[in-house]
Amino acid sequence: MLHRRTLLVTSLALPFIRPAAAAAAREFEGLGDRYDQLHSLQVLKGGDLVVAEVYRGPGLDRPANIKSCSKSIVALLLGIAIERGEVPGLDATLGEVAPALIPDAADPAVQDITLGDLASLRAGLERTSGPNYGAWVSSSNWVRDALSRPMVARPGGQMLYSTGSTHVLGAALTVATGQSLLSQARARIGQPLGIEIPAWTRDPQGYYMGGNEMALTPRAMLRLGQVLRDGGRLDGAQVIPAGWLRTSTRPLTRSPYSGLSYGYGWFLSRSGYALARGYGGQVIAFHPERDLAVAITSDPNRPARSEGYFGALMDLLDGPVLSL
């Protein structure tokens, strides 16, 4: 039998649930019965944690695999590296930033792929996600495999959802900064936000996977959503460059699967959300105009298709959550 647990947050990391918000939370009590892969839901409205529900799974204090929400975090690290002057900007090419990553067998156009193309999933290379994912992660060199694939579109053109693109971006950031993706994530996001970022999967060359398999606790996911909602600021400090947030959440392309727009690492809904989306139904979302931050975790081993469970999560965000 399913036992739903409503958790009152007592950590100093987040505000308490106030009695006035308790009635609003009742709308979300039956979600675990309707969606059997939903693990947790948290909604922060202004400074009030109005929903903190655990329906199943490991709870709010243990790391959850955030899957492709990792892509959004790598994009944040790109923005920070640009702000620090470690890479010239979005138009900087692989040939300029990390030429040693480009294999001899690569299409000559690969050297002109920009960091912005990689972050917006518009590299033009054959995808490594979907049916190609298994062969890609089984290869002996993930960067070489991704960059040796044929060009199937013009770089900077259509969206081709590919974890290989974000992995190459992470490797390029490693080369440009002289720091591993893990070190960057911990020093530039984890420590300022007061959240832990555990080590995650590395490729055969030692590059941390850019675009999948990172882990955060659900509380940390919400903390990140809160900071992004608040323009990248926390306790008066600018953690994420405000200009980068504005740039990265402007629509550049559109997902052929969900119909959502996409910027640099963020899906963008018509209703005003910016979302990180991970396989199975992992979501970090923020809506500055409505003063909302949302974190959702789900079963990481079951698909969440746009016309199925993920569609239901979008209905939840656009309905009860947006109306809070």
Side-chain angles (χ1 to χ4, degrees):
M1 179 179 296
L2 172 67
H3 297 284
R4 184 189 59 79
R5 290 169 285 157
T6 302
L7 302 184
L8 296 180
V9 177
T10 57
S11 168
L12 292 178
L14 291 171
F16 291 100
I17 298 178
R18 298 181 181 178
R26 296 192 189 102
E27 293 188 49
F28 303 92
E29 291 182 355
L31 289 176
D33 297 323
R34 296 203 298 274
Y35 307 116
D36 64 357
Q37 65 195 89
L38 178 62
H39 281 188
S40 71
L41 168 67
Q42 299 171 89
V43 181
L44 189 71
K45 172 73 171 179
D48 296 333
L49 186 61
V50 295
V51 181
E53 297 278 349
V54 175
Y55 303 98
R56 55 183 60 79
L60 301 182
D61 295 306
R62 292 179 59 186
N65 189 333
I66 63 173
K67 297 293 186 175
S68 285
C69 291
S70 311
K71 293 177 172 65
S72 304
I73 293 178
V74 173
L76 292 178
L77 293 174
L78 170 61
I80 294 171
I82 292 173
E83 178 78 6
R84 290 172 174 240
E86 294 165 332
V87 295
L90 287 167
D91 292 333
T93 66
L94 275 178
E96 296 167 344
V97 174
L101 295 178
I102 302 174
D104 293 338
D107 187 296
V110 165
Q111 66 179 349
D112 295 324
I113 293 173
T114 69
L115 301 184
D117 295 336
L118 294 168
S120 59
L121 303 179
R122 298 182 297 163
L125 291 162
E126 179 185 70
R127 300 191 319 126
T128 62
S129 293
N132 297 331
Y133 185 82
W136 175 58
V137 295
S138 297
S139 71
S140 61
N141 188 316
W142 297 1
V143 172
R144 182 178 64 199
D145 183 282
L147 293 178
S148 297
R149 290 177 178 260
M151 300 294 297
V152 297
R154 175 181 58 84
Q158 72 184 87
M159 181 181 182
L160 294 167
Y161 191 91
S162 179
T163 299
S165 291
T166 323
H167 184 63
V168 171
L169 175 60
L173 288 174
T174 298
V175 171
T177 64
Q179 299 181 47
S180 72
L181 214 55
L182 173 63
S183 296
Q184 292 175 65
R186 284 178 168 172
R188 301 178 179 189
I189 296 176
Q191 291 176 11
L193 269 61
I195 62 177
E196 290 189 20
I197 300 180
W200 69 97
T201 304
R202 290 192 287 177
D203 73 7
Q205 284 63 52
Y207 292 113
Y208 282 91
M209 191 174 198
N212 201 0
E213 301 299 330
M214 290 181 70
L216 294 175
T217 69
R219 293 196 202 278
M221 294 167 67
L222 186 63
R223 169 57 69 92
L224 178 59
Q226 174 188 355
V227 170
L228 298 173
R229 178 202 68 182
D230 295 342
R233 296 183 67 82
L234 178 65
D235 297 332
Q238 193 73 47
V239 179
I240 308 296
W244 175 249
L245 277 180
R246 291 190 294 270
T247 297
S248 61
T249 54
R250 291 173 185 151
L252 298 169
T253 186
R254 187 175 299 277
S255 167
Y257 306 106
S258 67
L260 294 171
S261 296
Y262 197 74
Y264 294 112
W266 297 94
F267 289 97
L268 308 166
S269 77
R270 292 184 180 90
S271 60
Y273 285 105
L275 307 100
R277 173 185 177 182
Y279 182 89
Q282 326 308 323
V283 175
I284 302 170
F286 58 100
H287 195 305
E289 290 185 4
R290 296 293 183 93
D291 211 9
L292 289 166
V294 184
I296 300 171
T297 58
S298 305
D299 187 337
N301 300 310
R302 294 172 60 183
R305 296 182 174 87
S306 297
E307 69 277 10
Y309 176 60
F310 181 73
L313 293 181
M314 287 304 304
D315 290 341
L316 174 68
L317 290 172
D318 286 337
V321 173
L322 203 60
S323 68
L324 284 170

